[in-house]
Amino acid sequence: MYRKTWFEINLDALEQNMRTIRKICGKRFICVLKADGYGCGDEQVARTALKAGAQMFAVSSLDEAVMLRKKGFTETPILILGATDPGDVPVLIRYDVATAGLNLNWVKEVVQQDCRGLKVHIAVDTGMNRIGFDDLDQIREGIALLKSHGAEVPGIFTHFCTTDCDLDKMRQQYDLFAETVKALPDSFAWIHCDNSDASIMFRDDLSNAFRLGISMYGFSDYKKDLAQPLAFYSTLSMVKKVYPGETIGYGATYTCQQEEWIGTVPAGYADGIIRANQGRKVYVNGSYCEIVGRVCMDQLMIRLPEELPAGTKVEFFGPHIRLDAMAAELHTIPHEIMCLIAPRVTRIYTRSGAVVAEENARLSGADNA
């Protein structure tokens, strides 16, 4: 790691959360690895999930599915939860990847080509209004068309949109999904509707699998004692004394009122520390220190309580600043912050307090000597 800014993932804590939620839910475990495992690295998260008993991976696109296959995950079933172009059916079959059945028009395009061996999970739109069938007769027709052309339909699913804010609506969605599944003559190996929060707080007698995403990283509205596996760090690259009346950063938006120790940190909005972080605090050597001046593309400045040496660790979130608290201050969710951490930021993976892997997509294949 040449640049002292890194995203740290504790694989022990990650595995612990997976096992905890799997035990609570009691269903088959589908590990959601969208967006490079929510920015944490799909390969390491996938290997940890398999240790914790995952039986399927879910991704957002065919690109993500193919990348997992090429990283060696050749046996575990993979499901694409988003849209797939019907023209990519040959690629889906070649890599043995299941995909969401979007609607009847999508099915009619799929069966115009050789789709023998294609695997489809029927997406049922119960109120999210994103993708999926919303008509029972069209679902029947779509399944019949797929099967008559040699495709397989091993699964059916829906997605709850209000598990964190409106349980009545969630229940309405479930009831509609259950009515739909029970009205179909087909049997499905995979019936899934539970997202992370529903996996913890919702019980039903229909679904047999759950999709675990953000809660494996320690965030749930219904279980507050999950382990916290994530931390985002940098270091002080320079510290200097700045005098009253001097300004800091672009736009001169911060003016020193007295002599102040200002530390420069080699991380900025190109790393995922967006400009809205100005005025928030980071944790440095026992103190919470304000980000002063505008966040730059590659650097930012903080006000220190005293002179500290270059190389002192700076925590954006981690043991002293919870990611969900940071998200609340930025009026967003942990998912977004995690996904914004750029590929140029090195990912450090630990077990039992020791580093077990260090990965940087931008340095992949480069000479790290």
Side-chain angles (χ1 to χ4, degrees):
M1 179 173 62
Y2 299 132
R3 185 164 171 263
K4 301 301 182 183
T5 297
W6 69 99
F7 187 15
E8 192 166 304
I9 299 98
N10 182 327
L11 298 177
D12 291 323
L14 184 63
E15 183 179 342
Q16 176 185 327
N17 288 340
M18 292 172 174
R19 292 184 181 278
T20 295
I21 298 169
R22 182 183 171 211
K23 184 176 181 180
I24 291 171
C25 189
K27 300 174 186 177
R28 301 164 80 186
F29 173 16
I30 303 172
C31 180
V32 180
L33 296 171
K34 298 186 299 180
D36 195 25
Y38 290 57
C40 295
D42 57 3
E43 182 173 355
Q44 292 290 342
V45 176
R47 296 194 188 286
T48 303
L50 290 177
K51 287 187 64 177
Q55 294 162 283
M56 179 181 284
F57 299 140
V59 296
S60 71
S61 66
L62 182 54
D63 306 71
E64 292 183 345
V66 171
M67 283 188 277
L68 278 173
R69 289 288 189 236
K70 290 186 174 182
K71 289 175 181 177
F73 297 97
T74 57
E75 303 298 324
T76 306
I78 298 177
L79 168 64
I80 297 168
L81 294 172
T84 303
D85 192 310
D88 289 327
V89 165
V91 184
L92 289 164
I93 295 170
R94 183 190 321 151
Y95 286 97
D96 189 24
V97 173
T99 191
L102 304 184
N103 55 32
L104 187 56
N105 288 336
W106 180 88
V107 170
K108 287 179 177 178
E109 289 188 55
V110 164
V111 299
Q112 294 302 309
Q113 53 197 305
D114 185 356
C115 59
R116 289 173 295 176
L118 175 68
K119 297 181 177 70
V120 177
H121 287 222
I122 297 297
V124 182
D125 183 4
T126 57
M128 182 78 167
N129 285 308
R130 188 167 63 177
I131 64 168
F133 288 80
D134 58 9
D135 180 89
L136 180 59
D137 289 335
Q138 290 189 4
I139 294 175
R140 291 192 181 108
E141 184 179 351
I143 293 174
L145 274 172
L146 287 166
K147 289 184 174 180
S148 68
H149 285 78
E152 302 171 25
V153 186
I156 189 166
F157 72 101
T158 195
H159 188 64
F160 296 141
C161 58
T162 62
T163 51
D164 60 341
C165 60
D166 187 343
L167 296 186
D168 287 338
K169 182 172 178 60
M170 187 207 78
R171 169 60 73 169
Q172 291 170 6
Q173 283 190 267
Y174 170 74
D175 289 343
L176 179 56
F177 179 61
E179 291 171 10
T180 301
V181 175
K182 292 174 182 177
L184 295 170
D186 310 88
S187 60
F188 301 95
W190 295 87
I191 303 173
H192 46 110
C193 56
D194 295 346
N195 58 9
S196 283
D197 273 346
S199 302
I200 293 170
M201 50 71 68
F202 183 64
R203 297 294 169 267
D204 69 274
D205 58 2
L206 176 73
S207 63
N208 58 17
F210 70 102
R211 303 186 302 268
L212 183 59
I214 192 63
S215 289
M216 62 185 166
Y217 300 108
F219 307 106
S220 170
D221 290 289
Y222 301 97
K223 187 166 179 58
K224 299 297 186 181
D225 59 349
L226 292 169
Q228 298 296 303
L230 308 179
F232 190 12
Y233 296 115
S234 189
T235 55
L236 295 175
S237 58
M238 191 183 83
V239 174
K240 66 180 293 186
K241 184 181 286 186
V242 181
Y243 296 90
E246 292 194 73
T247 61
I248 306 297
Y250 287 119
T253 59
Y254 178 82
T255 303
C256 296
Q257 301 302 310
Q258 56 190 0
E259 289 187 2
E260 297 178 10
W261 288 103
I262 300 296
T264 301
V265 181
Y269 59 76
D271 302 292
I273 304 299
I274 61 174
R275 295 195 346 155
N277 280 282
Q278 180 176 347
R280 289 194 60 261
K281 294 183 178 180
V282 297
Y283 183 84
V284 186
N285 195 41
S287 298
Y288 292 91
C289 303
E290 183 181 347
I291 298 173
V292 294
R294 289 178 181 163
V295 175
C296 310
M297 181 183 289
D298 312 298
Q299 302 177 86
L300 57 82
M301 285 69 78
I302 59 177
R303 186 178 64 239
L304 300 170
E306 59 190 355
E307 183 178 14
L308 292 172
T312 300
K313 184 188 287 188
V314 175
E315 176 188 317
F316 296 113
F317 61 78
H320 305 95
I321 299 173
R322 284 182 59 104
L323 174 53
D324 50 358
M326 176 181 179
E329 290 176 2
L330 292 171
H331 308 290
T332 185
I333 53 177
H335 323 41
E336 183 177 36
I337 295 174
M338 293 163 62
C339 291
L340 285 174
I341 299 176
R344 74 177 187 174
V345 175
T346 297
R347 271 63 173 169
I348 297 289
Y349 301 92
T350 66
R351 279 194 180 274
S352 302
V355 175
V356 296
E358 178 178 317
E359 298 179 2
N360 188 310
R362 297 295 298 274
L363 284 174
S364 179
D367 179 8
N368 294 332

